[in-house]
Amino acid sequence: MAHVRASLVRAVPGGRLIEIACDESGSDGENLTGGNTDVFAHASVHLPVEFAAHSLQEIRDRIRSPAEEYKANHLLREKHRTVLEWFLKPDGPLYGHAQVHLTEKPFFVVDRMVDLLVGDAGTTAVTLYREGRDAFDAEQWRDFLESSNNLLRVRNDGESDAPVNTFFRTVGALSRTYSGDDDGNGLGDILAALLAARSRADAYRARIVETPGVYPVLNPLLPAIVRTAAHWSGTGRPVSLVHDRQNMLTEERIAWLKETARLAGLRLVVARSDPRVQLADFLAGIARKIASDERGGRGDARLTTLLRPYVDHTSVWGDDRSWAVLGPATDGDRTMAPHL
């Protein structure tokens, strides 16, 4: 494989337009607090098609599974640990030619809710997320996350004002429970600011009932694609994306992405039809699992270290302990990734 890599990686297109292959893992639509995963990962790869095909064959040769289509789970099996490490290591197929944007789903919900109701999410969302988890018991915090999620989601199966009523009832209960001292920027002040924002919540719910809009607030895919485009266009060259088919990526949203992210193009393909997208699929699934394990205190130090060079520094992540080891080493002491 080494001689193939030497000849083909140098052949990464050097013209003005660069084509990036993408896929995601961990999509649960707008259900970010009660879905199957707590992390969303969007991976992108910049490699020649021929080299990607050789890499897939190398993986098949190493794993030797009869499966017609390989997925990330093949590499994540313990018996294929050496293949997984090779895949991420500097002598593997992706090093220096791939990127992963991570989204910690519960924090993403808090961040988007604070931005809607208070504005200027930034440190306010981080303070609420980090201090709230310590200040309240697990059931109270889970209720808060779920009510925040339901407030923001477009779909509503009950009464139109039910999500707003539930959210403010939940925040009111937290505010009455909280007994900490504030210095003007603490948790108690944030809860008070949220309680004072009922009119904004009502206006938001009324607006999405009338016109749901192109950009669903709760879906992490669109901001991840915008960030992916920004990452690869850092050289000033126009970027075109090849993305695995996703129901979220309607024609209207693709048009929005092309304009917002200044993409030269965005086309959807079946993952198995493009070896570059298959590699992105592997990386997204692997990154989601490693990041989720690290967030849950089950991290594998070796795998986390191997993933770290691929992680985008603007990933949306609020948990400081796990970000300290997941985030790019060049971030120094920074423990929270800035977000869109």
Side-chain angles (χ1 to χ4, degrees):
M1 182 67 181
H3 69 282
V4 174
R5 179 179 180 83
S7 61
L8 291 179
V9 168
R10 281 199 298 267
V12 169
R16 283 194 52 78
L17 179 72
I18 60 174
E19 190 169 69
I20 307 299
C22 307
D23 205 350
E24 52 77 24
S25 178
S27 178
D28 285 312
E30 291 188 297
N31 186 16
L32 300 190
T33 58
N36 297 316
T37 64
D38 55 5
V39 173
F40 175 84
H42 186 267
S44 54
V45 171
H46 181 214
L47 288 171
V49 174
E50 184 184 358
F51 178 72
H54 277 277
S55 299
L56 287 177
Q57 187 58 52
E58 176 78 1
I59 291 169
R60 283 187 171 276
D61 291 344
R62 288 172 180 248
I63 290 180
R64 297 186 179 280
S65 167
E68 183 176 343
E69 181 178 7
Y70 278 32
K71 305 293 287 185
N73 284 340
H74 285 89
L75 283 82
L76 288 167
R77 293 170 186 166
E78 186 59 36
K79 64 181 179 179
H80 300 315
R81 173 63 180 246
T82 57
V83 185
L84 173 60
E85 291 193 12
W86 162 80
F87 184 76
L88 295 173
K89 287 169 67 174
D91 62 346
L94 298 185
Y95 197 86
H97 301 281
Q99 169 252 19
V100 179
H101 185 276
L102 298 174
T103 300
E104 184 188 8
K105 291 182 181 180
F107 174 67
F108 185 68
V109 170
V110 172
D111 178 75
R112 295 299 83 207
M113 179 273 295
V114 169
D115 185 64
L116 171 70
L117 299 184
V118 181
D120 189 27
T123 56
T124 301
V126 174
T127 299
L128 173 58
Y129 184 72
R130 292 180 180 173
E131 294 189 9
R133 293 181 300 171
D134 294 332
F136 307 112
D137 64 40
E139 183 177 0
Q140 289 175 312
W141 187 244
R142 183 174 61 252
D143 289 345
F144 170 69
L145 291 176
E146 290 178 357
S147 67
S148 299
N149 195 137
N150 291 333
L151 174 69
L152 296 176
R153 69 187 304 171
V154 173
R155 181 176 177 180
N156 178 29
D157 297 327
E159 298 178 10
S160 59
D161 59 351
V164 179
N165 293 335
T166 301
F167 173 80
F168 282 95
R169 186 166 57 248
T170 303
V171 175
L174 294 185
S175 184
R176 291 188 296 274
T177 300
Y178 181 65
S179 59
D181 295 327
D182 274 350
D183 57 4
N185 298 302
L187 183 57
D189 298 297
I190 295 172
L191 293 173
L194 294 177
L195 287 172
R198 172 79 190 226
S199 61
R200 289 193 178 189
D202 287 331
Y204 169 75
R205 294 304 309 178
R207 186 168 65 252
I208 63 174
V209 167
E210 295 173 2
T211 54
V214 174
Y215 191 137
V217 173
L218 274 183
N219 198 303
L221 176 61
L222 296 185
I225 291 177
V226 171
R227 176 53 213 168
T228 295
H231 172 84
W232 292 105
S233 62
T235 60
R237 297 162 61 185
V239 172
S240 180
L241 301 184
V242 180
H243 205 290
D244 183 32
R245 286 183 178 175
Q246 236 275 359
N247 291 336
M248 175 70 180
L249 295 176
T250 62
E251 291 185 8
E252 190 178 19
R253 288 171 182 150
I254 288 175
W256 180 89
L257 282 167
K258 289 171 70 174
E259 179 179 358
T260 302
R262 299 182 179 180
L263 288 169
L266 196 166
R267 60 187 178 92
L268 304 181
V269 301
V270 177
R272 62 186 301 176
S273 71
D274 190 316
R276 300 169 302 171
V277 176
Q278 290 183 65
L279 291 179
D281 175 60
F282 291 171
L283 181 58
I286 290 166
R288 182 196 59 74
K289 179 64 164 59
I290 293 173
S292 181
D293 285 348
E294 192 62 59
R295 178 182 183 272
R298 310 176 301 276
D300 182 309
R302 172 64 174 165
L303 294 182
T304 300
T305 298
L306 289 173
L307 177 65
R308 195 174 194 181
Y310 297 91
V311 176
D312 191 286
H313 73 279
T314 66
S315 293
V316 184
W317 204 269
D319 181 67
D320 50 346
R321 183 204 57 79
S322 54
W323 182 253
V325 292
L326 280 168
T330 53
D331 273 4
D333 294 331
R334 208 168 77 196
T335 57
M336 205 290 290
H339 44 275
L340 291 169

